[in-house]
Structure formats: C-alpha cells, structure tokens
C-alpha cells in the first residue's frame, strides 16, 4: 500500500470464488461469499488472504457499496513510489521554489524538496527541463501540512529520468481500481491508486492467464482491489511503469458497467521522431530517448589502395564517397540497432556491429523479425558467461535484406541490468523500431 492509512474491507468482502460466466445481458459485477472464518485484522488483506480471492461474475443488481477509501488527509504521510510528473520552477516572488505536476494531468500538484543536497541539486536541474528529462519518476514521503505549494511537500529520496530502466521494487498490497486507457494509441490496463492523488500504473499479469482474465473482468467496474507483484520502471507503458501482478484480491465490489473497449487503429510509433538517411535511401522512427551515432569508412583492403595515394588520402576519398552514414547506430535503453549500407558488406570499410563475445557459451538462435512490413529470418547468438547481468548474459541478431543492407540488433553490455530486463523492457521497442524501417522512393 502506498499510504500509511488503511482501506477497510466491507464486512462480507473477504473470500471470493472464481466463476467465469458470461451473462446474457453482458453486465458483470464482482460477487461476494461470506467467509467461514473472519480474519482478525479486517483492515487489509495479507498476500495469503488475497491469493485465494478471485473473480465471481454475477448479474449487476442495484445494491450500493461503500465509498473508496480516502488518502492524503491533513498530516498523513504518504509513501510515494514511482510517481511520474513534471518539475516546474515558481516565480522568484513566490514563497516556494518549485512544484511537481503529476501525470496524467489533473492527478495533483505539490511542492518538493530533496532528502539531501545532491538530490536537491538534481531537482533544480530538472525544473522546466527539455525532453526526455522533463518527465521524472519520484520516490519519497509526501506530507500535507500547509508548508509548501498547494499545502503539501514531497521529500524526495530517489528520482529517475531519461532512458533509465530499473526495477521499482515490490508492490505489497497497493489498493486501487482497474481501468483502461491508451498509450501510444494502444489500449493498456491501468491500476489507479485510491485517494487524493490517483496515480496511474500499467497493470499486467502476462505470466498468469487466469489473473490477466481477472484484470479484464474488473476493468471499469469500480471494484476496489489489492495488488501484489513487482513494479518495473522506465518501461514503454503508462507513466513509464508496469506492475507485473502475481496476486490480486477484490476487497470491495464494483457496481459500474464498463464501457466497451474502443476499436482503434494502433500506431505503435506515434510521437516518435523520424531519422532519414538520404544518401542510402531509407528512414525509420525512434523514441525521443534514443541516441543515434554515425560512422564512415575507417579502413580498407590493402590491395584496394590506389597507386600514388597515401592511406590517409584514400580514407578521405572514401569518406567523401560513402559519407559518415554508411553505418548508423541507434542506442535505446539496454539495447542497440546497427544498420550497415550495401557498400559496407562484409564490414568492408567500418565494423558496423559487434566484433567479439569474449569467453562464454555461445547458443545459436533463429527468430522472425518484421523489417518494414516484411518478415525476415534473423540469425542470432545468445551469449552466456557466469552471471545474469548483461555483461555476462546477452544476445544479438543479424539479418540481411535483398539490397544488401545489414541489420544487427541486440543487448548492450550493462553491469546493473539483467538479460531478463533487456528482453522485457528494451527488446520490444527495438523490434518496433525495425518494423518502422522503410525505403525512400
């Protein structure tokens, strides 16, 4: 739970039975069974109690339910975990220096201060920052005692911004509701915290189909749920967060009939920038956080050197002929993509791609990849040494198009992130970038 206040269970809402049923009228509600034995502490479900709670689908009736528990009362300390917002400077005449406006718009605004001088300096540098540093994830303790902007102050002990991908920690009994929204024009399930600051997190249960079905049934009903699992941050999802749930308990039934999910055309690259390589006739889209590097010829076969020309003179000639865009490198999150133009086949002029793997077990792999709307077979290698961090366990793939263009994509070395982090948080975006590749007419 993200606040130190506790949400109260309705007297009868403790143990629910899973029954997946489709009602003729298409309206569903979370049903309740009376437990045979009431837990001693009914203010909050334990993980074990929540683990036996699943969905009962029944026809909606006209019974009323309790109000959602409130948080953010005067003097209450709220634990803030990965709340996303924009930090803004206040005018010099103001009594305070800055404030954070939470996302989505309307979630709340309050003052903030660093828990130490280093964090305070970082906060100052992020005031009215340009992308991608304008959007910040914050951790700390929030207290509303009329001592800062809008009467509340967050003491920040951790923050993240830019292309950072980490584990946000455990989700231990957070209380809220489940709704749906859009991210990059695609539908996402959202966990919304109850209380004065209804923060949003993306909600998934991809490893448990039954739990994912439960999320779908609870969406938009207004049911109050309690969630356990792992929080990921810096991921391409709602507010840059994702809760991978392993337990969801229903502690108060919902009475709302959810709106049908919209049918929409999804553009997975909406809001991205476009890189155009006019010299070699292609373009692709990429997220704002990605970085692009350019490489021209750096070497050649010795028998290729023209008579009467020094190696330096010939390199200058090759650079003018092939430009510094013969090899393009894109870095995003924990991975990379390299695109080698046809004249650089067999890395003739520049090493566009990985050059070695060190001492490790090499496992050959094959996967299908969509490049510009065409599915190709990519040949790859999984590299496994003595640990799970990306400097010990990673992968890379290569594919060559009909015109001789060569793509390489994979995980970059990282001593603090794991192979699983790369597969979950970065690889889907790399594949989306490859899918956006198109030839210029």
């Amino acid at each position: 739970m993200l606040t130190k206040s506790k949400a109260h269970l309705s007297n009868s809402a403790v143990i629910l039975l899973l029954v997946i049923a489709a009602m003729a009228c298409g309206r569903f509600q979370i049903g309740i069974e009376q437990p045979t034995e009431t837990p001693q502490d009914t203010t909050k479900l334990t993980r074990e109690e929540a683990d036996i709670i699943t969905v009962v689908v029944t026809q909606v009736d006209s019974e009323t339910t309790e109000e959602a528990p409130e948080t953010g009362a005067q003097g209450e300390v709220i634990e803030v975990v990965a709340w996303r917002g924009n930090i803004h400077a206040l005018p010099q005449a103001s009594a305070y220096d800055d404030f954070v406006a939470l996302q989505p718009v309307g979630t709340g605004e309050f003052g903030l201060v660093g828990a130490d001088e280093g964090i305070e300096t970082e906060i100052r540098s992020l005031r009215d920052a340009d992308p991608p540093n304008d959007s910040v994830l914050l951790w700390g303790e929030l207290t509303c005692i009329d001592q800062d902007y809008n009467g509340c102050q967050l003491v920040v002990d951790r923050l993240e911004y830019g292309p950072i991908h980490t584990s946000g920690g455990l989700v231990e009994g957070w209380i809220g509701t489940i709704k749906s929204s859009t991210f990059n024009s695609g539908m996402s399930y959202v966990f919304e915290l109850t209380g004065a600051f209804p923060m949003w997190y993306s909600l998934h249960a991809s490893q448990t189909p039954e739990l994912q079905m439960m999320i779908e049934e609870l969406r938009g009903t207004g049911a109050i749920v309690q969630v356990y699992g792992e929080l990921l941050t810096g991921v391409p999802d709602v507010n840059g967060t994702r809760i991978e749930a392993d337990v969801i308990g229903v502690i108060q039934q919902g009475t709302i009939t959810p709106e049908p999910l919209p049918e929409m055309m999804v553009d997975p690259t909406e809001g991205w920038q476009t890189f155009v390589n006019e010299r070699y006739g292609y373009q692709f889209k990429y997220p704002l956080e990605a970085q692009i590097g350019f490489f021209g010829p750096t070497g050649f076969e010795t028998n290729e050197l023209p008579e009467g020309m020094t190696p330096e003179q010939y390199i200058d000639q090759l650079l003018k002929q092939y430009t510094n865009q013969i090899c393009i490198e894109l870095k995003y999150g924990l991975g990379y993509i390299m695109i080698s133009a046809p004249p650089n086949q067999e890395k003739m002029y520049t090493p566009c791609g990985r050059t070695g793997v060190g001492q490790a077990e090499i496992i050959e792999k094959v996967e299908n990849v969509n490049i510009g709307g065409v599915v190709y077979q990519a040949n790859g290698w999984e590299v496994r040494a003595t640990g799970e961090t990306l400097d010990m366990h990673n992968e890379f793939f290569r594919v060559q198009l009909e015109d001789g263009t060569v793509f390489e994509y994979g995980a970059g070395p990282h001593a603090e992130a794991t192979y699983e982090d790369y597969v979950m948080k970065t690889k889907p975006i790399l594949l989306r970038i490859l899918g956006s590749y198109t030839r210029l007419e």
Side-chain angles (χ1 to χ4, degrees), residues 77-88:
V77 177
I78 303 172
E79 184 185 358
V80 170
V81 178
W83 288 17
R84 181 169 289 276
N86 306 103
I87 298 174
H88 300 284

Side-chain angles (χ1 to χ4, degrees), residues 3 7 16 21 37 40 112 169 182 202 205 253 266 269 330 359 409 412 439:
T3 74
L16 306 179
E37 183 177 351
Q40 294 298 312
L112 71 167
T182 57
S202 176
Q253 62 180 324
V266 177
T269 63
L330 178 142
Q359 296 294 320
Y409 62 95
R439 295 292 306 175

Side-chain angles (χ1 to χ4, degrees), residues 326 340-349 400-406:
I326 195 172
S340 180
N344 194 49
Q345 284 194 50
E346 305 300 327
K347 301 181 180 179
M348 182 178 297
Y349 296 118
Q400 181 170 319
L401 307 191
E402 296 83 354
D403 64 0
T405 302
V406 176

